[in-house]
């Protein structure tokens, strides 16, 4: 992929499944990776794996729901690694419950992580990109945000919000050299999906139902996602903005 060597890339949720795989792939492209996560150990593991392989990475413990922590974290990243070229908003959290069984406190946590977290990150990182008239933003949403998904009403609402946010920012900043695109995983075997299926009560049955629903006949793996995320962050995607790409084995086919 062109244009990623020596670029400074920020990935939230970099200590998790998809985020970890994405950080490692950016490092393979020669980027300098700020691995951000609430889970300090997970972020450190991803950063260590990259540096022990000869790449450049540093771990940052940041709770994306807290604008103060985000602002301080972004300042620390720019001090250590330099101005941010690429932002990947990937951190997320989910629970499996029919909407009428959810509690308002659960909505607040879902919204705080899946929507406000991304707002905070954009708010802290975008001014620098505007000044430099360059930047790439990739937001990791979900097929649930495109077509809905039973048991995920509030999560799906946040993920749909992330898509609308990306398209709006893509319009507002199109003449400033900044692109915003969205990647939507389907069911992907990570800690998030394990917890989600355990809560649903019958993980094996649910996994089988997911497999049957995916035209390619399997669940996603974390390593299925970085190709699309890194491509949309590269110079090869310079004329692509405001777009939504499902990476889910054909689960969601949108025109
Ligand atoms: N796994 C799936 O089936 C699936 C499907 C669709 C979309 N997604 C999306 O993909 C993204 C990555 O998820 P994953 O499957 O790799 O899950 P994961 O649980 O492996 O990783 C999510 C990471 O986000 C971090 N995180 C949670 N809250 C945070 C906060 N407040 N501040 C900072 N970091 C926080 C977690 O610590 C974790 O490391 C998420 O946005 C998720 O919604 C996943």
């Amino acid at each position: 992929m062109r244009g990623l060597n020596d670029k400074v890339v920020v990935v939230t949720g970099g200590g998790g499944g998809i985020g970890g795989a994405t950080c490692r792939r950016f490092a393979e492209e020669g980027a300098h990776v700020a691995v951000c996560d609430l889970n300090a150990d997970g972020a450190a593991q991803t950063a260590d794996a990259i540096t022990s392989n000869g790449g450049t990475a540093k771990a940052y413990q940041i709770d994306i729901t807290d604008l103060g922590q985000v602002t301080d974290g972004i300042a620390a990243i720019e001090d250590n690694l330099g101005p941010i070229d690429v932002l990947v908003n990937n951190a997320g959290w989910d629970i499996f419950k029919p909407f009428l069984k959810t509690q308002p406190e659960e909505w607040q946590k879902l919204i705080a992580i899946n929507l406000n977290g991304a707002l905070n990150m954009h708010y802290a990182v975008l001014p620098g990109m505007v000044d430099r008239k360059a930047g790439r933003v990739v937001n990791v949403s979900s097929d649930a945000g495109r077509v809905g998904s039973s048991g995920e009403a509030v999560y799906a609402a946040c993920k749909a919000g992330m898509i609308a946010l990306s398209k709006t920012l893509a319009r507002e900043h199109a003449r400033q050299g900044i692109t915003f695109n969205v990647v939507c995983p389907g069911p992907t075997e990570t800690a998030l999906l394990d917890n989600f299926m355990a809560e649903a009560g019958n993980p094996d049955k649910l996994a089988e139902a997911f497999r049957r629903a995916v035209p390619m006949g399997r669940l996603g793996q974390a390593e299925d996602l970085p190709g699309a995320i890194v491509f949309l962050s590269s110079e090869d995607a310079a004329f692509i903005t405001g777009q939504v790409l499902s990476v889910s084995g054909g689960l969601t086919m949108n025109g």
Side-chain angles (χ1 to χ4, degrees), residues 193-194 196-210:
L193 188 69
D194 288 347
F196 175 87
M197 292 201 298
E199 269 170 12
N202 195 341
D204 293 340
K205 200 170 155 206
L206 192 55
E208 189 45 38
F210 281 146

Side-chain angles (χ1 to χ4, degrees), residues 12-13 64 89-94 113-114 140 155 159 192:
T12 67
I64 58 165
N89 285 302
N90 161 79
W93 181 74
D94 197 8
I113 296 172
N114 294 302
V140 179
Y155 172 85
K159 293 298 195 179
L192 183 144

Side-chain angles (χ1 to χ4, degrees), residues 13 15-19 37-39 62-65 90-93 113-114 140-142 155 159 185-188 190-193:
I18 294 170
D37 208 296
L38 180 61
N39 173 1
I62 298 174
D63 179 350
I64 58 165
T65 69
N90 161 79
W93 181 74
I113 296 172
N114 294 302
V140 179
S141 172
S142 168
Y155 172 85
K159 293 298 195 179
T188 305
T190 66
L192 183 144
L193 188 69

Side-chain angles (χ1 to χ4, degrees), residues 89-169:
N89 285 302
N90 161 79
W93 181 74
D94 197 8
I95 49 171
F96 182 93
K97 271 187 195 177
F99 177 64
L100 290 179
K101 296 218 155 71
T102 58
Q103 298 299 319
E105 303 79 60
E106 291 169 326
W107 310 345
Q108 296 316 321
K109 183 169 174 186
L110 284 161
I111 294 167
I113 296 172
N114 294 302
L115 188 57
N116 291 347
L119 291 174
N120 288 337
M121 291 298 299
H122 283 93
Y123 202 62
V125 172
L126 278 185
M129 290 183 170
V130 169
D131 286 348
R132 294 186 292 280
K133 295 202 165 16
R136 295 269 182 279
V137 179
V138 179
N139 288 321
V140 179
S141 172
S142 168
D143 273 358
R146 303 188 86 177
V147 295
S149 177
S150 300
E152 299 183 274
V154 180
Y155 172 85
C158 294
K159 293 298 195 179
M162 203 181 216
I163 292 172
L165 172 72
S166 307
K167 290 179 177 177
T168 301
L169 292 174

Side-chain angles (χ1 to χ4, degrees), residues 3-23:
L4 285 165
N5 197 39
D6 288 336
K7 289 282 160 74
V8 175
V9 177
V10 172
V11 180
T12 67
I18 294 170
T22 300
C23 289

Side-chain angles (χ1 to χ4, degrees), residues 30-97:
H32 302 179
V33 187
V35 184
C36 304
D37 208 296
L38 180 61
N39 173 1
D41 290 344
Q45 271 175 27
T46 301
D48 289 350
I50 291 171
T51 51
S52 60
N53 225 10
T56 305
K58 199 164 162 40
Y60 297 85
Q61 185 180 26
I62 298 174
D63 179 350
I64 58 165
T65 69
D66 179 333
L67 182 59
Q69 280 194 39
V70 167
T71 307
D72 291 350
I74 295 304
I77 291 167
E78 298 210 318
D79 276 355
N80 295 330
L81 298 177
I84 295 163
D85 300 294
V86 177
L87 168 63
V88 180
N89 285 302
N90 161 79
W93 181 74
D94 197 8
I95 49 171
F96 182 93
K97 271 187 195 177

